[in-house]
Amino acid sequence: MGIFTKLFKTKAQKEKDKKMVLGVKRQKEYSFGELKRLLESNKKIDDSFYSELEEILILSDIGIDYTLKYMDLLKKAVKKNKISSVQELKDVMLDEFLELYVGLDKASLNYQDGRLNVFLFVGVNGSGKTTSIAKVANMLIKEGKKVLIAAGDTFRAGAVNQLNVWGDRLGVKVIFKDNTSDPSSVIYEGLKEAKSGNYDILLCDTAGRLQNKVNLMKELEKISRVINREVSGAPHETLLVIDATTGQNGLSQAKIFNETTKVTGVILTKLDGSSKGGIVLSINNTLGIPIKLYGYGETMDDMDKFNIESYLYNLFNGILFEDEDE
Amino acid sequence: MSYENLTQRLNMTLRRIVHKDHLTEKEVDEMMKEVRLSLLEADVNIRVVNSFVNDVKQKALGEKIMKGLNPGEQVVKIVSDELIKVLGKEEATLNFSKTRPSVFMLIGLQGAGKTTHAGKLAKFIEKNHSKKVLLVACDIYRPGAIDQLIQVGKDTETTVFSEGPINPVTISKDALKYAKANDFDTVIIDTAGRLEIDEKLIQELKDIKKEVSPTEILLTVDSMMGQKAADVADTFNKELGITGVILTKLDGDERGGAALSVKMVTGVPIKFSGIGEKMDDIEVFYPERVASRILGMGDVLTLIEKAEDALDEEESEKLMSKMMSGTYDYNDLLKQMKMIKKMGKLSGLLRMIPGFSNLSQLRDIDDNALDFITVIIQSMTKEERRDPSLIAYSSSRKRRIAYGSGRSVSDVNKLEQMLEKQKKAFKMFNNIDESKMEEMAKRFGNSPIDFNKRK
């Protein structure tokens, strides 16, 4: 173990994660508060303990399959290490989550200097694509990159305006077309401008679409094809934006979006709410897609690179560890 | 998602149980495990699942297995009945206030679909209640939200009241004044998305509520929501007292367990569901459909009918054997008519077929067209009903029957021909092969009876 005790030693790191902790702290009052009670109850590790734990995991939207897989691993580890107390169990519990996490080495965004990088943002309606684009743009600007945005959501009323407002705030140029319903043409304009204007990166917004709408998924496939035709190797990231409140449908979203346009990463949004977004663990484990970023508020600074260890740490902060903020 | 449906699952559990007329507690417990998993996979909140499953178990234990169902189907039927009961059997309608204008407030988390559904609701109310609607833009936080509502207003041809990004309480107060001065019947307030635990923004909603005394506070809930749907709805309800729920994005492939969680936790009726991206894509909430989805199967309704028609089925088997033996008579035809009538109105049945629902011709279909068959048969004597040949060879009998039923002799002839055709067709079943089937289909294509013609 030990990996978690080393975490969050620097003050800067603590500040950075404070907002996420705040969000997750509220969550604890809902369901992980029960985990705390369970772990402090000096209960024996028996069937009734396991079924209570199972219930708590399901409540975090992790999903049945993942939960059963996890419980299985946990039970085996308990047997193997002859664990009898709840105290000893804590370390093993976290280890098994990490055991199930795929692609620890693929956590960072596929950005490279010296080329035009293209990131495509996809997801269902209302998951937070447009806001996430603004946040990612902000992150990249702070790193000194020259950023361009293509307003490819030609469907939702107000979407282009929404991006323009963000563009003004960030000082980023937004490529859009009035009166068009063809997102590919907007993206194409964006690519042209990005190339001629020597931009480091183009962020492409798309309209929200439910994954069972065949025509809309075809439209997305076309967008991805246009990008690939214009810039070889692009899109360098296709980021699926998932709302933390999403239930088991998140898995269907990831599967079908991944089939349509190879998804390279997940952005988990709205983590400042009472939901923990447990479904992303299931998505990661089932499809091997890494979670790359998470959003936790409405200002443009409320986004950070996802780190599974700090995610788990925050989930269990004050439950498995001494609460550092209290 | 490729979940097995609940019936298949239960049948797996029940392989060992041969048809019995009731289930033991142990068998019910086994099945409840599957019901529980199925509901959890549909995102029903686990606490809701536990209490729901407990209720269903009690019912399953007490009930005898109905004819025509196997034990697995029986349990699915009980689960589905209970789901429909909880989700609300009655269609929940909008309440309008006695004094104009009625004020509806839309609230919910970010991205749930408030602005879109403010527009859909405006269009729905204009169309179905013929009321003049004012949309009010109170989402001053999300960039582009006001523009979005203005655009939505253009699409639905609804007036939008906006004062830009100023205090939402002031906006709603001014909007109400404006609505009164300009004869609007209904005011729909689009509020900003917010977390149910955001005290400052919840206070803002309370202030708006105090200012405008809304007729309804409608909570928009994304049907893709997971376990937290229950807590979120519960908190919004405790803070603000919601009066209805709009379940959005129900055109996706989620199973929509959130609906059950929200309904069970708040007790507030689900009034509408959003079923697409266009402004017309809103409908009143149908509990049966969502029950089917939650169970991951489209055939729940069929199943219920199957159970209720089990007796009819026995009856029709008898009829079938009579047909095959060639002793089919008017009594049997009468029974058949009764069965058809039980299925409901003809136009109603057609309306359920996708694509048929908007056909104007449906209005012309006479639901009582088949009645004359019954009427004619009822004018026959007992002997005539048992022995069709009595009528076939006697024109005086035909005249008497025609007179008694108020139909023409030619109608009686047509009925006679129909019975004969049926008998012939069923005789053909005895030495069936495909070419004859086709021939038979052709012959049956032209019914000798004009359903709409009267004497």
Side-chain angles (χ1 to χ4, degrees):
Chain A
M1 197 53 221
I3 186 164
F4 289 98
T5 44
K6 268 183 256 149
L7 276 167
F8 307 105
K9 287 298 175 199
T10 67
K11 206 170 183 187
Q13 183 74 15
K14 266 189 195 169
E15 281 303 310
K16 225 177 168 190
D17 279 276
K18 213 158 200 172
K19 273 205 164 168
M20 181 169 167
V21 176
L22 278 176
V24 179
K25 191 171 281 172
R26 299 193 192 106
Q27 297 162 17
K28 285 189 299 195
E29 292 157 23
Y30 288 80
S31 69
F32 277 86
E34 284 158 54
L35 185 56
K36 186 173 187 177
R37 178 188 53 74
L38 187 62
L39 291 172
E40 283 172 353
S41 62
N42 288 325
K43 274 187 86 150
K44 274 202 316 219
I45 301 172
D46 56 10
D47 278 355
S48 92
F49 174 85
Y50 281 133
S51 76
E52 268 190 72
L53 181 59
E54 203 176 293
E55 196 157 300
I56 288 162
L57 294 181
I58 285 170
L59 261 176
S60 65
D61 290 319
I62 281 175
I64 302 240
D65 285 347
Y66 186 102
T67 300
L68 296 181
K69 221 187 256 185
Y70 176 81
M71 293 306 292
D72 207 40
L73 276 176
L74 189 66
K75 284 176 192 171
K76 274 183 193 149
V78 166
K79 225 179 217 171
K80 193 177 145 213
N81 300 316
K82 301 197 175 67
I83 290 168
S84 56
S85 80
V86 169
Q87 279 304 315
E88 289 170 84
L89 189 66
K90 290 178 179 180
D91 282 352
V92 183
M93 275 180 67
L94 285 165
D95 279 345
E96 300 314 318
F97 273 116
L98 284 178
E99 183 71 32
L100 285 172
Y101 192 80
V102 186
L104 275 173
D105 52 330
K106 289 189 284 181
S108 55
L109 290 167
N110 180 18
Y111 176 89
Q112 277 176 28
D113 281 322
R115 72 171 184 202
L116 169 60
N117 295 273
V118 184
F119 290 3
L120 180 64
F121 291 69
V122 302
V124 299
N125 315 59
S127 57
K129 283 174 295 306
T130 307
T131 307
S132 290
I133 284 197
K135 289 176 178 176
V136 171
N138 181 49
M139 275 172 86
L140 290 162
I141 289 165
K142 280 189 178 163
E143 289 171 22
K145 316 290 185 214
K146 195 175 174 195
V147 182
L148 183 68
I149 295 174
D153 182 354
T154 54
F155 183 80
R156 181 168 59 92
V160 172
N161 273 323
Q162 186 176 349
L163 262 186
N164 276 329
V165 172
W166 280 118
D168 287 346
R169 284 187 202 167
L170 292 159
V172 168
K173 188 166 178 184
V174 177
I175 300 297
F176 64 95
K177 267 181 160 181
D178 284 326
N179 305 320
T180 178
S181 55
D182 178 19
S184 294
S185 74
V186 180
I187 304 286
Y188 178 79
E189 290 296 320
L191 289 162
K192 224 167 69 179
E193 172 72 19
K195 279 192 240 177
S196 65
N198 269 325
Y199 282 88
D200 294 317
I201 183 156
L202 173 69
L203 304 175
C204 304
D205 194 13
T206 62
R209 64 200 75 220
L210 298 178
Q211 69 275 18
N212 61 339
K213 308 278 179 207
V214 178
N215 287 339
L216 294 179
M217 293 312 275
K218 277 193 182 140
E219 180 189 88
L220 191 62
E221 206 182 342
K222 187 183 165 195
I223 292 172
S224 185
R225 230 178 21 238
V226 167
I227 294 173
N228 189 262
R229 195 182 62 208
E230 296 302 314
V231 180
S232 107
H236 303 98
E237 289 278 3
T238 298
L239 298 163
L240 175 67
V241 181
I242 295 225
D243 182 329
T245 62
T246 312
Q248 300 312 296
N249 190 254
L251 198 54
S252 162
Q253 289 171 26
K255 271 183 190 159
I256 300 175
F257 272 100
N258 193 38
E259 281 163 19
T260 308
T261 157
K262 182 102 189 82
V263 173
T264 56
V266 166
I267 299 181
L268 180 59
T269 62
K270 310 181 196 176
L271 208 54
D272 49 331
S274 53
S275 291
K276 280 162 287 292
I279 191 64
V280 294
L281 292 179
S282 191
I283 291 171
N284 170 270
N285 182 262
T286 314
L287 299 168
I289 301 171
I291 305 142
K292 298 210 165 173
L293 300 165
Y294 68 95
Y296 47 86
E298 291 187 330
T299 75
M300 52 190 160
D301 291 318
D302 296 334
M303 173 169 278
D304 212 334
K305 291 184 173 135
F306 186 86
N307 175 312
I308 181 64
E309 284 135 15
S310 64
Y311 175 71
L312 293 172
Y313 178 89
N314 280 305
L315 277 185
F316 297 109
N317 188 20
I319 301 168
L320 297 186
F321 314 98
E322 290 306 306
D323 200 327
E324 292 188 15
D325 289 310
E326 279 165 15
Chain B
M1 277 187 235
S2 58
Y3 296 118
E4 289 166 274
N5 77 39
L6 187 56
T7 316
Q8 287 164 347
R9 271 187 165 169
L10 291 177
N11 286 341
M12 289 288 281
T13 326
L14 289 164
R15 262 176 311 178
R16 282 158 290 123
I17 307 168
V18 204
H19 269 265
K20 285 199 271 187
D21 62 351
H22 73 283
L23 295 165
T24 66
E25 178 152 13
K26 201 176 149 237
E27 286 157 3
V28 170
D29 279 340
E30 279 295 304
M31 286 199 283
M32 285 309 124
K33 274 187 200 158
E34 296 296 328
V35 171
R36 190 168 174 275
L37 276 181
S38 193
L39 293 174
L40 286 175
E41 276 171 357
D43 286 324
V44 181
N45 179 278
I46 194 161
R47 301 210 173 95
V48 172
V49 169
N50 290 343
S51 101
F52 181 83
V53 166
N54 199 37
D55 287 353
V56 171
K57 185 189 159 184
Q58 298 311 322
K59 291 216 163 67
L61 273 176
E63 239 174 88
K64 276 186 90 179
I65 290 168
M66 294 172 82
K67 257 205 156 90
L69 295 186
N70 66 35
E73 290 173 331
Q74 167 89 7
V75 169
V76 174
K77 186 182 178 310
I78 296 171
V79 174
S80 131
D81 284 351
E82 196 64 18
L83 274 177
I84 293 167
K85 202 177 104 193
V86 174
L87 287 169
K89 256 195 148 138
E90 302 283 305
E91 194 178 286
T93 48
L94 276 176
N95 294 312
F96 290 91
S97 67
K98 286 193 186 84
T99 51
R100 287 196 307 170
S102 301
V103 180
F104 302 134
M105 236 172 111
L106 257 58
I107 64 170
L109 296 178
Q110 291 95 338
K114 281 171 301 302
T115 307
T116 304
H117 283 81
K120 287 183 183 181
L121 197 60
K123 193 160 185 195
F124 183 91
I125 291 171
E126 278 160 1
K127 204 167 109 191
N128 295 284
H129 300 276
S130 313
K131 293 193 189 287
K132 196 175 158 197
V133 181
L134 182 68
L135 282 166
V136 183
C138 276
D139 180 357
I140 57 161
Y141 304 99
R142 182 167 56 99
I146 295 173
D147 298 321
Q148 184 178 351
L149 193 70
I150 290 170
Q151 187 58 49
V152 161
K154 273 186 199 150
D155 292 348
T156 60
E157 293 169 13
T158 310
T159 313
V160 177
F161 184 89
S162 163
E163 293 181 319
I166 63 163
N167 184 350
V169 184
T170 315
I171 300 173
S172 45
K173 185 177 158 189
D174 293 348
L176 200 59
K177 233 185 267 168
Y178 178 85
K180 280 177 186 159
N182 291 281
D183 272 339
F184 283 90
D185 304 299
T186 306
V187 174
I188 299 175
I189 299 176
D190 178 33
T191 66
R194 64 201 75 213
L195 297 170
E196 81 286 5
I197 46 180
D198 188 325
E199 282 162 27
K200 202 176 130 230
L201 285 177
I202 291 294
Q203 187 56 47
E204 181 193 280
L205 286 181
K206 285 180 182 167
D207 293 343
I208 296 177
K209 181 185 174 183
K210 207 172 149 199
E211 188 63 54
V212 301
S213 313
T215 324
E216 295 238 26
I217 298 181
L218 300 167
L219 177 69
T220 53
V221 176
D222 186 329
S223 48
M224 289 180 278
M225 252 186 113
Q227 291 287 323
K228 279 290 174 285
D231 291 333
V232 169
D234 189 37
T235 309
F236 269 118
N237 189 33
K238 281 183 181 141
E239 295 285 355
L240 288 141
I242 58 175
T243 60
V245 171
I246 302 179
L247 198 61
T248 65
K249 308 179 202 173
L250 204 55
D251 49 328
D253 64 359
E254 72 285 343
R255 288 177 45 195
L260 186 68
S261 307
V262 168
K263 181 68 209 294
M264 259 183 105
V265 168
T266 63
V268 171
I270 301 170
K271 298 200 167 181
F272 292 97
S273 35
I275 49 162
E277 297 191 326
K278 288 192 225 57
M279 284 297 137
D280 290 316
D281 293 333
I282 187 169
E283 62 181 21
V284 288
F285 177 74
Y286 293 105
E288 294 88 356
R289 289 188 199 165
V290 173
S292 303
R293 292 175 78 116
I294 290 176
L295 294 176
M297 50 202 294
D299 56 353
V300 170
L301 277 180
T302 333
L303 197 63
I304 294 164
E305 278 160 15
K306 196 176 154 194
E308 275 146 17
D309 292 348
L311 280 176
D312 288 353
E313 221 169 88
E314 243 172 66
E315 193 71 26
S316 62
E317 264 171 41
K318 270 189 219 158
L319 275 176
M320 203 63 170
S321 70
K322 284 198 93 176
M323 284 169 173
M324 295 300 196
S325 65
T327 59
Y328 187 77
D329 60 24
Y330 285 113
N331 282 321
D332 301 321
L333 186 58
L334 199 60
K335 276 181 198 157
Q336 252 191 338
M337 286 299 127
K338 274 187 189 153
M339 278 185 211
I340 291 173
K341 275 229 118 173
K342 252 194 188 171
M343 288 170 70
K345 285 188 169 183
L346 205 53
S347 53
L349 284 174
L350 288 174
R351 242 173 229 121
M352 289 202 284
I353 302 170
F356 272 56
S357 51
N358 293 323
L359 287 186
S360 58
Q361 292 97 302
L362 276 184
R363 262 180 251 126
D364 302 330
I365 287 188
D366 183 357
D367 277 314
N368 302 318
L370 292 174
D371 280 357
F372 88 100
I373 295 176
T374 313
V375 174
I376 295 177
I377 296 176
Q378 278 166 347
S379 299
M380 295 174 183
T381 66
K382 278 180 189 167
E383 291 77 26
E384 284 163 351
R385 288 188 212 180
R386 262 200 309 269
D387 183 1
S389 66
L390 287 176
I391 300 167
Y393 301 116
S394 162
S395 52
S396 64
R397 281 182 194 261
K398 281 181 188 167
R399 274 200 302 276
R400 195 206 76 241
I401 292 166
Y403 183 76
S405 61
R407 309 290 303 203
S408 67
V409 173
S410 81
D411 281 343
V412 180
N413 280 330
K414 279 176 188 166
L415 182 61
E416 185 209 332
Q417 283 166 30
M418 190 171 124
L419 188 80
E420 284 309 310
K421 275 204 175 186
Q422 278 196 342
K423 281 171 82 171
K424 261 187 208 155
F426 284 110
K427 262 185 204 159
M428 282 167 68
F429 269 119
N430 286 331
N431 38 5
I432 202 157
D433 69 47
E434 277 188 17
S435 62
K436 279 189 178 159
M437 278 288 267
E438 273 169 34
E439 192 192 334
M440 202 166 73
K442 266 182 219 152
R443 280 201 210 171
F444 263 59
N446 301 319
S447 166
I449 293 166
D450 182 351
F451 283 164
N452 287 318
K453 203 173 151 193
R454 295 226 143 167
K455 189 182 168 180

